[in-house]
Amino acid sequence: MAAVAGHLEEPLIVDVSTLRRGNISLTDEGAFRFGTQRVYPNRGWIRRVMPPGWTAGAVAGSRAARDQAAWLVMLVSFLRVSDIRWLSELDHLLAAENKLLLAKTARIANVPTPRTVIACTPSSGAQALGTSQIVAKPLGPSLFGSSDEHASVATSDVSNLVEDEMEPEAYLYQPRIDTQRCFRVVTVGTQAWSFVRSVEPGEPLDWRYWASAHDSFELTDNARLAESAVSVASALGVGFSSQDWLDDGTTTWIVDVNPAGQWLFLPDDGMIAKAIAAWLCQTG
């Protein structure tokens, strides 16, 4: 957010912290009122509805939980009622987080994506996919824990668990891809930037949990990949996305479209932040 705001003359940043200042009201006409000043923004970008871990530690029914719910309703009400043209509309942004929907959308768009199922055990996932070489991905947020500590849950190879009897728990399963290269593709409207890195022996299945991976991406010119990334983002209705693709040497598969994903670790020289800011500055 700060990277984009740095390219704007008078950015208006609204989050729960802003609302808690107490001098803001919203109307059913979609207007902001800061004290006595009425503001009608033209375009906007929903960076995140709430940060990771924002509700962690709040006990259901407690004053803290009620306060969090009220502030969130106020913020979401503004997103839904205002006449702002969003880079990604709220409902599209939330829907794009669903990997089962991503798989269906990509398949309709003729973009390669792994077969995807939601199942209750590794054995049922393997049976549905027709292979025992599978990976599991959590369906909920990737951060769990108390208000002070959060443990990351990564994509995991569960091929060795398909014969075990396990307590039912909903997970997303896909066939394992023997990855040679990882791509992170960032889209802003009809623009796309592609970055690539080679997979090192012994690194985690999910490169996000490999510290050196974040500094090993390089900008690459891949028009076909960029076109496919834009087509999937457009089909999902998101104007911004940070996507993950895996190349097994034969096929390049799309595995994630994050409508609020990170990109500042990529060597983009500020191009992406400038593109978002340029979109926000357009009229109409």
Side-chain angles (χ1 to χ4, degrees):
M1 182 185 66
V4 174
H7 296 288
L8 302 172
E9 290 186 7
E10 296 182 8
L12 174 62
I13 300 172
V14 179
D15 56 14
V16 171
S17 297
T18 310
L19 300 180
R20 279 178 167 159
R21 296 173 189 169
N23 64 339
I24 297 178
S25 60
L26 310 175
T27 74
D28 59 0
E29 299 172 342
F32 255 130
R33 186 184 290 276
F34 285 82
T36 59
Q37 180 186 12
R38 291 170 68 88
V39 180
Y40 294 87
N42 179 50
R43 289 190 172 206
W45 173 42
I46 305 172
R47 178 67 185 96
R48 290 187 189 275
V49 178
M50 56 183 176
W54 186 62
T55 60
V59 178
S62 67
R63 173 63 184 271
R66 291 196 299 271
D67 283 350
Q68 288 177 340
W71 287 119
L72 186 58
V73 168
M74 184 177 183
L75 181 60
V76 170
S77 295
F78 167 68
L79 299 179
R80 292 196 181 283
V81 173
S82 73
D83 294 327
I84 293 175
R85 180 178 177 184
W86 301 105
L87 181 55
S88 297
E89 296 289 343
L90 178 61
D91 289 330
H92 291 160
L93 185 149
L94 296 175
E97 297 279 7
N98 190 303
K99 289 183 175 60
L100 203 61
L101 176 63
L102 162 62
K104 180 179 179 179
T105 302
R107 189 162 289 109
I108 292 174
N110 293 317
V111 173
T113 187
R115 289 192 63 209
T116 303
V117 302
I118 293 176
C120 301
T121 62
S123 61
S124 57
Q127 184 177 12
L129 292 172
T131 177
S132 61
Q133 301 300 305
I134 60 173
V135 298
K137 301 180 179 181
L139 290 176
S142 60
L143 297 174
F144 298 91
S146 67
S147 58
D148 298 323
E149 294 184 18
H150 293 86
S152 296
V153 178
T155 299
S156 302
D157 187 328
V158 293
S159 304
N160 62 329
L161 300 178
V162 297
E163 301 295 335
D164 296 346
E165 292 187 11
M166 306 186 68
E167 290 293 325
E169 186 171 0
Y171 267 85
L172 183 141
Y173 296 94
Q174 294 175 330
R176 172 165 179 158
I177 297 173
D178 293 324
T179 308
Q180 296 183 9
R181 297 186 299 168
C182 300
F183 289 90
R184 165 91 24 144
V185 186
V186 181
T187 67
V188 179
T190 59
Q191 298 176 273
W193 296 264
S194 303
F195 304 85
V196 64
R197 63 175 297 272
S198 297
V199 174
E200 300 178 17
E203 70 176 69
L205 192 64
D206 190 334
W207 64 262
R208 292 172 297 180
Y209 299 90
W210 182 252
S212 63
H214 294 73
D215 298 323
S216 60
F217 278 91
E218 298 178 353
L219 182 66
T220 182
D221 184 8
N222 192 321
R224 192 174 196 179
L225 182 61
E227 181 181 357
S228 295
V230 169
S231 70
V232 173
S234 177
L236 289 170
V238 291
F240 169 86
S241 70
S242 189
Q243 306 180 10
D244 288 312
W245 296 67
L246 304 179
D247 176 20
D248 63 8
T250 302
T251 304
T252 304
W253 309 84
I254 187 170
V255 293
D256 192 21
V257 174
N258 190 333
Q262 302 289 350
W263 79 87
L264 290 181
F265 65 92
L266 299 168
D268 78 314
D269 296 327
M271 296 181 296
I272 296 169
K274 289 179 182 177
I276 297 173
W279 186 91
L280 292 171
C281 290
Q282 295 178 35
T283 58

